[in-house]
Amino acid sequence: MLWRVLTRSKTTDHHRWGYLVFLLAAAPPVVTWWSASRSGQWDLWSWYTPLMYFVLIPLADLVVGADTLNPDPQDVPRLERSWYFAALPLLCVPLQIGLMLWGAHVFATAPFGPLGALGWVVSMGCLGGVLGINVAHELIHKASRTEQSGGGLLLASVLYGSFKIEHIYGHHVDVATPRDNSTAYCGEHVYRFIGRALRHNVPRAFELERRHTLRRGGRWRWWRSEVSLWFGCSAVFCALCVWIAGGWLGAVYFAGQAFVAVCLLEIINYVEHYGLMRRQLPDGRYERVDPKHSWNSDFLVTNMFLFHLQRHSDHHAHAARRYQLLRHFDESPQLPFGYAAAVVVALCPPLWRRLMDPRVDRHMEQLRRPPIQPAAS
């Protein structure tokens, strides 16, 4: 009941207090450390974060259900200017970086066995995916230099600063076409997709930045590029982890949590666009991106944890729109679950295809139908 009061408010500040659950998203590693310190069960508690993210949150989605309420159009200008909504993602920058560095200390000093050490790295990688990359995705789409820099630092904390360039100038341009390595084909399993994305997206970021620089009449040097800058920040974070951990274990921890976070991002990319393709026009271009070209999900709990990332259909149609203003569209293809559950299902390709391929076929068939003409009067 309290959750519904906080998140289903009929006030003009739609879900104003519900977005504070990002603090709960940051809590599981701290809960792990506190509980394991008291019980001594370090290996068991090290897996608490993925348990919360991928079991407890999907169960909460089932209990609370979906929410299709959109902000009142007359309130949009005021909500857009609100310092409160702008501040919440920015607060995640020191929180994520601080927890990531603290995680190196725990990794080096806690009495983990091999299974516990793996669980801690996976847990901190999950945190980096949710509190790091997901929030960075919100920030890098904004015009503010502060938000842009905050997003870059979050991506650097998980060794994926190239996402800042590739996502904006690559994915958002080519989404739902064969040119996009972050759009999964229907029938493609998630493990092949992750490998394809990891192989191509980093080099593509350098190439996109090079082209952009040359079009503006500048001279491009890879060591002076923005992508290299963020990878340099990652090297600093790695060095800090080595210093905090007192040796090479810090580098193992940093690389491990970054790998998990990046893989989690690519699984989400797989879910967001699986099987959806834009029509190619006679002149070779593709139709404009609209809310029908991304999978949407309105399960409320996961949406609050992810700053409305699941309203991905509106995000791709209006990329600069802030998270509190993203809307539900009835014509958008709808996932049968939230992203937290979708990650688990996607990791089992036969189950994923059984649930999703018929939905892809139905939606693509609807897109191919000619529009219904009004009856003659």
Side-chain angles (χ1 to χ4, degrees), residues 100-373:
M100 185 274 293
L101 295 174
W102 168 77
H105 169 74
V106 175
F107 183 74
T109 59
F112 290 124
L115 188 62
L118 176 62
W120 184 251
V121 170
V122 169
S123 292
M124 297 308 295
C126 289
L127 181 75
V130 172
L131 206 64
I133 299 179
N134 172 62
V135 178
H137 172 263
E138 170 67 22
L139 294 174
I140 62 176
H141 279 284
K142 305 302 174 284
S144 160
R145 182 171 295 183
T146 299
E147 290 170 302
Q148 287 271 331
S149 299
L153 287 172
L154 287 174
L155 292 170
S157 74
V158 292
L159 199 54
Y160 214 41
S162 56
F163 179 83
K164 187 173 184 293
I165 300 299
E166 194 282 329
H167 180 78
I168 301 293
Y169 299 107
H171 175 61
H172 269 264
V173 174
D174 294 330
V175 64
T177 74
R179 295 198 298 259
D180 182 35
N181 291 304
S182 294
T183 296
Y185 308 120
C186 187
E188 182 179 26
H189 64 70
V190 70
Y191 303 102
R192 179 179 179 183
F193 172 80
I194 292 172
R196 177 161 64 92
L198 294 182
R199 284 195 309 273
H200 295 291
N201 283 346
V202 174
R204 193 182 190 212
F206 280 105
E207 176 61 18
L208 287 167
E209 188 176 9
R210 184 186 72 83
R211 292 179 188 175
H212 183 67
T213 302
L214 294 177
R215 278 198 301 267
R216 297 175 63 183
R219 298 184 62 186
W220 186 82
R221 296 290 185 269
W222 70 265
W223 60 87
R224 298 175 60 184
S225 71
E226 184 180 359
V227 178
S228 296
L229 167 67
W230 296 121
F231 279 127
C233 290
S234 294
V236 172
F237 285 136
C238 184
L240 287 172
C241 287
V242 170
W243 175 67
I244 290 169
W248 61 272
L249 280 177
V252 171
Y253 159 80
F254 180 77
Q257 62 89 30
F259 178 75
V260 172
V262 171
C263 286
L264 181 57
L265 161 69
E266 297 303 348
I267 296 171
I268 295 297
N269 274 335
Y270 176 85
V271 167
E272 289 169 340
H273 303 289
Y274 177 77
L276 302 181
M277 291 290 166
R278 286 187 277 158
R279 289 185 301 112
Q280 191 167 19
L281 304 175
D283 62 2
R285 296 179 300 164
Y286 287 90
E287 63 180 324
R288 184 174 180 176
V289 178
D290 66 29
K292 298 188 293 292
H293 296 124
S294 305
W295 289 100
N296 200 68
S297 178
D298 284 304
F299 283 92
L300 182 59
V301 175
T302 305
N303 257 331
M304 294 296 97
F305 270 92
L306 297 180
F307 288 105
H308 258 161
L309 177 69
Q310 295 182 137
R311 289 196 168 179
H312 210 63
S313 300
D314 193 19
H315 167 70
H316 265 277
H318 306 92
R321 187 181 294 272
R322 291 185 179 272
Y323 66 93
Q324 71 271 21
L325 301 176
L326 292 174
R327 298 159 296 175
H328 164 87
F329 291 94
D330 290 336
E331 63 267 31
S332 299
Q334 301 294 319
L335 289 172
F337 28 55
Y339 281 8
V343 168
V344 178
V345 177
L347 292 174
C348 182
L351 178 59
W352 174 263
R353 292 198 61 188
R354 181 176 180 180
L355 292 172
M356 291 301 299
D357 284 12
R359 288 177 167 83
V360 173
D361 291 341
R362 287 195 297 268
H363 184 68
M364 293 305 295
E365 179 62 29
Q366 290 175 355
L367 293 184
R368 285 189 287 267
R369 292 175 185 169
I372 298 174
Q373 299 298 323

Side-chain angles (χ1 to χ4, degrees), residues 57-78:
I57 290 179
L59 290 176
D61 272 336
L62 290 176
V63 173
V64 176
D67 170 57
T68 59
L69 186 64
N70 289 331
D72 191 323
Q74 69 181 5
D75 293 321
V76 167
R78 181 176 59 82

